[in-house]
Amino acid sequence: MNTVSEYNKLNYSGRAIKVIDFKVDKMQFYSPTLYLMVLSPLDEKVKIPNCRPGQFVQIQVPSGCGAFLRRPISIYNVDDNSLGLLILNVGKGTQALSKARIGDVFSIIIPLGNSFTSPVLWFPEEPKQNIKPLLIGGGVGIAPLLMLGKSLKENGIKPTFLFGAKTKTLFPDLSSFQKCGTLHISTEDESWGEKGFVTEHHIINEPNAYNCIYTCGPTPMMKAVAKIAREKNIHCEASLENHMACGVGVCLCCTEPTIDGYKSVCTDGPVFDVNKLMW
């Protein structure tokens, strides 16, 4: 895995996008609709390209499922020989993928999109122990934050995670996050952690608890997070989940209005400085 300093030296245009056939090694279900698909290259000689926190893949869907286009999925975890995708059933494509069996083969375009910015670039003069990133995820939006959290820890920066969902059964196993930093939970039904939205959690208003934010999840949640960041005048990046088709900036169906004009979320994003968005 790239370190924080390494992945920020790289840019999208400098990366080689590859189309690789992967085979399914493991399917782990956390609920009837949320599952982890673990894959490895069908050809053992093929190495997975270096991927940065925040990037995503386009995975082929099974034929005959009623969906034709590949599906964009955030990279949850990756190493030289293994790719983890945390997937929520939201349509025909992801529903068909949930029925995959061990050994099934899928073509995947990897990696796509930009990545989160290292907080070291925002605080170049600060000792790393003074850099306090808050990673806020909603629902399956927690997926790209695991890779980010691991990279931060590798570089001596301890992240704080704040995750929210309607109820605790909508979360996957979060032990990997707990190994990287401190974890806080909000659920709307109070089945785990504090009751309410993540933006109502006590950590949001705790003095000196964080000095930058990364977020991914439902758009209303991210807009509320962006509002808090602006009020506190701190850096905040959001990973958008606009509908995508091609994933390479050709179809323009994922465009997002910004202060610099319309941008393609698949190639200019999915990660944006919230101050660039028309939120």
Side-chain angles (χ1 to χ4, degrees):
M1 182 185 298
N2 291 314
T3 65
V4 172
S5 56
E6 286 176 334
Y7 75 68
N8 277 287
K9 293 177 182 176
L10 305 171
N11 57 52
Y12 180 75
S13 61
R15 283 292 184 182
I17 300 172
K18 293 187 176 181
V19 182
I20 299 175
D21 285 335
F22 282 81
K23 61 181 175 64
V24 177
D25 294 329
K26 179 181 178 182
M27 294 287 288
Q28 182 173 359
F29 285 83
Y30 302 108
S31 74
T33 58
L34 181 67
Y35 57 97
L36 175 64
M37 176 183 281
V38 181
L39 310 103
S40 62
L42 181 62
D43 183 346
E44 295 180 355
K45 297 178 182 178
V46 173
K47 295 296 183 183
I48 299 174
N50 287 334
C51 301
R52 293 167 285 155
Q55 291 191 296
F56 66 97
V57 304
Q58 289 272 82
I59 181 170
Q60 179 186 39
V61 297
S63 59
C65 71
F68 302 99
L69 300 171
R70 294 170 183 261
R71 289 294 180 268
I73 306 293
S74 296
I75 297 173
Y76 185 58
N77 204 9
V78 67
D79 58 30
D80 289 342
N81 299 304
S82 178
L83 171 68
L85 303 176
L86 185 65
I87 303 175
L88 179 68
N89 286 348
V90 292
K92 295 178 181 178
T94 47
Q95 174 68 34
L97 288 170
S98 72
K99 299 177 181 177
R101 298 181 178 180
I102 305 303
D104 283 355
V105 176
F106 296 97
S107 168
I108 294 178
I109 305 174
I110 182 173
L112 294 168
N114 66 356
S115 63
F116 293 109
T117 302
S118 167
V120 174
L121 299 182
W122 295 334
F123 304 100
E125 306 298 329
E126 286 286 345
K128 290 183 178 179
Q129 63 267 27
N130 291 347
I131 301 175
K132 301 174 182 177
L134 179 62
L135 282 53
I136 303 178
V140 75
I142 69 172
L145 302 182
L146 176 58
M147 193 173 171
L148 176 60
K150 288 184 174 181
S151 292
L152 291 169
K153 183 184 177 184
E154 284 179 358
N155 284 269
I157 299 172
K158 183 179 179 181
T160 297
F161 300 99
L162 172 57
F163 294 160
K166 290 184 177 180
T167 184
K168 72 175 188 179
T169 58
L170 298 179
F171 285 114
D173 177 8
L174 299 180
S175 58
S176 295
F177 293 94
Q178 291 173 307
K179 294 176 182 176
C180 299
T182 303
L183 175 64
H184 299 280
I185 298 292
S186 285
T187 51
E188 295 179 31
D189 64 357
E190 206 178 7
S191 54
W192 192 9
E194 294 187 13
K195 183 177 182 178
F197 301 128
V198 291
T199 48
E200 299 169 328
H201 194 281
H202 81 275
I203 197 70
I204 292 290
N205 295 314
E206 191 169 298
N208 303 316
Y210 57 96
N211 50 21
C212 57
I213 297 175
Y214 300 89
T215 186
C216 184
T219 299
M221 184 207 78
M222 292 197 291
K223 287 184 176 180
V225 171
K227 181 175 183 291
I228 291 170
R230 292 193 186 100
E231 290 173 349
K232 295 180 178 293
N233 192 30
I234 62 176
H235 298 282
C236 179
E237 286 187 343
S239 179
L240 275 56
E241 296 182 325
N242 296 27
H243 291 293
M244 300 179 190
C246 71
V248 293
V250 175
C251 69
L252 302 180
C253 70
C254 64
T255 55
E256 176 75 19
T258 75
I259 62 173
D260 299 319
Y262 283 91
K263 298 292 183 180
S264 293
V265 171
C266 64
T267 52
D268 298 308
V271 178
F272 290 87
D273 181 332
V274 296
N275 289 321
K276 295 287 187 179
L277 300 172
M278 305 295 284
W279 286 0

